Amino acid sequence: MSTYEDRLSALREQLKADRLDGFVVPLTDEHMSEYVGSYAQRLAWLTGFQGSAGSAVVLPEEAAIFTDGRYTLQVREQVDGRHWAYQSVPETSAAEWLKQHAAEGARIGYDPWLHTKEWVTKARQALGEKEAELVPVPRNPIDAIWSDRPQPSKARLLVQHDNHAGKSSAAKRQEMADWLKEQKADAAVLSALDSIAWTFNVRGQDVEHTPVALSFALIHQDGTADLFVAPEKVGEDVRQHLGNGVRLHDRAAFEPFLGSFNGKTVVADPERAVAAIFEALEAAGANVVRKRDPSVLPKAIKNAAEICGHKAAQARDGAALVRFLHWLSLEAPKGSVDELSAAAKLQAFRQAGGDLRDTSFDTISGAGPNGAIVHYRVTEATNRPIEMNSLYLVDSGGQYPDGTTDVTRTVAVGQPTAEMRDRFTRVLKGHIAVDRALFPDGTRGSQLDTLARQFLWRAGLDYAHGTGHGVGSYLSVHEGPQRIAPAGSSQAGGDEPLRAGMILSNEPGYYKTGEYGIRIENLVLVRPVEIGGAEKKMLGFETLTFAPIDRSLVEAGLLSPEERQWLDAYHAKVLEVIGPLLEGEVLGWLKQQCRPLQN
Ligand code: ZN
Ligand code: ZN
């Protein structure tokens, strides 16, 4: 077992051998994935950082790690400050830091399979001012020193049947082929793993929390496709399902295959395809057109089967969460529950509910001050007991064959303080304002973000994350292109117009460092709304997540009559949807939690 210090020195030695004066280490894979397989966890291996977003730069004498507002506390706990300078993005980007810290004329390496072309262009510009050079490496120097690096997974592909997918792969590919004709393009590259899973109606088991398989694909103007995936992953059932329109190749054959597009016009997505793909196509003499991956929008706009499946998954998931919250209400006051045992119990309830394939992310189980760490992941070292007169925040979700869930509840154990109740109620008011919003077709997520924050702002408070993200259908829990996030924030997607059929989270929060965290998260569906006399096509949200909101944290006097009405109607609906799946004591408890506020 090498220490993080050993690994950093070994990397510096390797860089010397490779004649490099520095190297950039992102947290992603060849598909720009958010969650990556263990074989691609280079940032964690090198630094110890366990968060889901970040990057690092290593120079001969210094090194820096770059994380956003969600990880300000976590990075300081996990990464040794004697060797790594903590930098926060977007204030300081890796490129900017390099501009200030790299030596005049330095050769800084990057792995072209792990960065977008846009990143390369920007970083090259920044370094150019220093007369330093950004150099693509033929082999990642970390892989050269990571002796026990895991192999990519060999797990089998699974068929996602039409009853859940709602549209056949052939029909999806035909729509993309029609689009390619309009664009006067011969083919489109798909390199995002969820795009490939959605397009071919397959799911994989290669990445934790996201049911995707390591693969690449090309869609052609005639509706046929080339799919690049390790052959041992494709069983006879999948081969049959894919049919004659899909030619199978080994994943390793993808890069050489790009060399065959001389004189052809090929669409590649600058946000989703890595620089190496553009470089291979350009080197082959292809005309590369930078456009969004044609599966992104149809994947985000859920069809009737996907919506129906999502609702079934939500009911199962909600029943498991209610069983957990009931259990917690009995056990936590005894002082016998900690963050780890609570997360395990919640998972057990989800498993018992049936059809659970995986959690949709690592459960955030935060007691007291740990609740204030936005993307907290409980470990043996950080595990805290849930104490009396404190808040407990639990953000979790499940991957089911019919849908992906993501829900946060914050509960008081014992007596909450007046401040906790005030903050919770402000967060709830923001949550309700988003849920009740009516907006014209074409409205962007960023235009709704303020609705969620307004009541916190009035008290001089805020939260350092977006209000909502898209969610996949038995796919990524964070799915683009839409988001509800402040305009101009680092979180891309706030500019995407919301469209009927999109699923988003609605998750405002409030975090008091060292004391407690609050977040209330439901998923919502964008749907058309009929308004008498309306002069515009209007949209609104339908709530998809059903679980009680802790009434002991609600300061009813701060709610408007409409907000009280919303909460009562929401709780009535929770009982209607989840009640039939419960019995006995749990059902009795849920009825208590869902009674109208006035009583
Ligand atoms: Zn969540
Ligand atoms: Zn979420």
Side-chain angles (χ1 to χ4, degrees):
M1 269 295 275
S2 52
T3 65
Y4 293 114
E5 199 176 344
D6 296 338
R7 294 172 187 181
L8 183 56
S9 340
L11 178 59
R12 285 185 167 132
E13 285 303 311
Q14 184 63 41
L15 293 180
K16 239 188 260 169
D18 293 347
R19 294 198 312 110
L20 293 169
D21 304 307
F23 189 65
V24 185
V25 187
L27 199 182
T28 191
D29 60 10
E30 302 84 347
H31 312 276
M32 290 279 120
S33 304
E34 179 185 7
Y35 297 109
V36 303
S38 52
Y39 81 96
Q41 297 278 5
R42 296 178 182 93
L43 184 67
W45 180 82
L46 181 67
T47 68
F49 179 62
Q50 298 294 329
S52 69
S55 64
V57 174
V58 175
L59 295 176
E61 303 296 332
E62 46 183 343
I65 182 157
F66 302 81
T67 56
D68 62 51
R70 298 172 295 173
Y71 294 113
T72 310
L73 302 178
Q74 190 176 325
V75 70
R76 284 165 173 75
E77 283 165 14
Q78 294 175 335
V79 180
D80 190 343
R82 289 171 307 166
H83 303 296
W84 296 92
Y86 308 118
Q87 298 292 328
S88 47
V89 284
E91 293 83 359
T92 314
S93 70
E96 246 149 76
W97 189 87
L98 265 172
K99 187 168 90 181
Q100 283 165 13
H101 294 255
E104 203 81 34
R107 282 167 50 87
I108 307 296
Y110 74 98
D111 183 341
W113 285 95
L114 300 177
H115 296 275
T116 62
K117 184 102 180 160
E118 196 196 354
W119 181 90
V120 175
T121 307
K122 276 195 185 151
R124 193 159 273 158
Q125 253 165 20
L127 280 172
E129 295 172 31
K130 253 311 198 7
E131 309 221 336
E133 224 189 317
L134 194 66
V135 193
V137 296
R139 181 188 178 189
N140 195 308
I142 292 181
D143 302 354
I145 56 168
W146 187 356
S147 52
D148 54 352
R149 180 174 167 231
Q151 288 292 310
S153 141
K154 292 193 163 64
R156 290 287 188 105
L157 292 187
L158 307 165
V159 175
Q160 179 75 343
H161 292 286
D162 285 2
N163 62 329
H164 289 142
K167 188 179 272 187
S168 71
S169 170
K172 290 176 181 178
R173 294 197 315 264
Q174 192 51 53
E175 284 171 15
M176 288 185 209
D178 294 343
W179 178 82
L180 283 171
K181 271 175 222 149
E182 277 167 37
Q183 306 298 317
K184 300 198 175 13
D186 299 294
V189 176
L190 300 187
S191 59
L193 299 182
D194 64 334
S195 294
I196 296 168
W198 181 87
T199 301
F200 294 95
N201 287 344
V202 290
R203 297 295 184 265
Q205 311 170 74
D206 292 350
V207 180
E208 257 187 289
H209 310 308
T210 313
V212 293
L214 294 170
S215 52
F216 293 100
L218 282 148
I219 308 291
H220 301 274
Q221 216 198 61
D222 61 0
T224 66
D226 290 283
L227 179 60
F228 299 80
V229 60
E232 66 266 28
K233 301 166 85 75
V234 183
E236 195 43 43
D237 57 334
V238 173
R239 207 174 287 273
Q240 293 245 326
H241 159 79
L242 292 171
N244 292 334
V246 180
R247 292 169 294 269
L248 284 164
H249 313 258
D250 195 346
R251 180 163 174 262
F254 175 65
E255 190 182 6
F257 192 85
L258 294 177
S260 66
F261 284 90
N262 186 313
K264 295 277 167 58
T265 298
V266 183
V267 172
D269 185 333
E271 268 181 52
R272 291 170 182 81
V274 294
I277 294 176
F278 285 88
E279 278 149 25
L281 285 167
E282 279 157 8
N287 168 33
V288 186
V289 181
R290 286 164 170 71
K291 281 213 184 313
R292 185 150 79 187
D293 163 345
S295 74
V296 168
L297 200 56
K299 170 160 54 67
I301 299 173
K302 271 60 182 174
N303 62 42
E306 288 170 325
I307 292 168
C308 181
H310 183 92
K311 288 180 178 176
Q314 282 284 2
R316 236 177 287 130
D317 199 64
L321 183 57
V322 170
R323 288 182 196 279
F324 167 76
L325 292 171
H326 167 250
W327 170 86
L328 190 73
S329 75
L330 298 176
E331 296 302 317
K334 296 181 194 161
S336 56
V337 183
D338 59 29
E339 294 168 344
L340 278 174
S341 67
K345 192 75 185 174
L346 175 54
Q347 176 141 359
F349 279 123
R350 275 204 170 93
Q351 233 131 27
D355 274 350
L356 184 75
R357 297 280 172 85
D358 194 354
T359 52
S360 56
F361 55 95
D362 284 315
T363 297
I364 298 170
S365 174
N370 284 345
I373 305 173
V374 174
H375 275 230
Y376 176 63
R377 192 169 94 175
V378 50
T379 63
E380 291 288 351
T382 63
N383 189 23
R384 280 183 73 94
I386 300 177
E387 289 167 345
M388 278 303 280
N389 307 324
S390 73
L391 296 188
Y392 171 67
L393 181 156
V394 60
D395 186 350
S396 67
Q399 289 287 8
Y400 303 91
D402 44 1
T404 301
T405 65
D406 179 7
V407 51
T408 310
R409 287 296 180 267
T410 305
V411 297
V413 176
Q415 201 56 48
T417 64
E419 182 193 89
M420 288 170 180
R421 288 164 57 90
D422 174 85
R423 303 305 187 243
F424 184 91
T425 308
R426 286 175 193 277
V427 172
L428 176 62
K429 286 164 76 76
H431 179 97
I432 295 173
V434 171
D435 191 88
R436 295 181 63 222
L438 297 173
F439 46 92
D441 193 21
T443 297
R444 294 151 202 282
S446 56
Q447 290 173 271
L448 302 183
D449 186 77
T450 307
L451 294 174
R453 294 176 204 268
Q454 58 183 316
F455 305 101
L456 288 164
W457 284 357
R458 278 180 207 178
L461 312 169
D462 201 356
Y463 52 94
H465 59 76
T467 300
H469 54 82
V471 176
S473 283
Y474 187 34
L475 274 178
S476 304
V477 74
H478 296 150
E479 180 183 275
Q482 76 279 15
R483 279 188 74 89
I484 301 174
S489 73
S490 60
Q491 292 144 330
D495 283 344
E496 184 71 26
L498 301 182
R499 296 165 202 253
M502 285 180 169
I503 294 178
L504 290 129
S505 69
N506 169 13
E507 51 180 309
Y510 170 72
Y511 310 91
K512 190 162 186 183
T513 304
E515 296 196 24
Y516 59 86
I518 293 165
R519 182 157 68 250
I520 304 170
E521 177 181 27
N522 283 344
L523 300 189
V524 293
L525 171 71
V526 182
R527 60 176 177 123
V529 176
E530 293 295 333
I531 300 174
E535 295 175 354
K536 284 185 148 182
K537 205 171 134 195
M538 297 295 290
L539 300 172
F541 294 122
E542 176 183 343
T543 316
L544 296 169
T545 304
F546 296 104
I549 290 169
D550 187 353
R551 45 203 304 129
S552 77
L553 284 167
V554 178
E555 191 60 58
L558 288 177
L559 297 182
S560 70
E562 292 79 12
E563 288 163 344
R564 282 162 163 260
Q565 218 173 49
W566 182 93
L567 191 60
D568 286 345
Y570 176 69
H571 276 146
K573 187 85 192 198
V574 171
L575 197 56
E576 184 191 315
V577 174
I578 307 296
L581 301 171
L582 301 173
E583 63 299 299
E585 207 188 312
V586 190
L587 179 58
W589 178 83
L590 182 64
K591 284 181 179 160
Q592 273 300 307
Q593 300 310 305
C594 292
R595 69 195 191 278
L597 273 184
Q598 288 79 1
N599 305 330

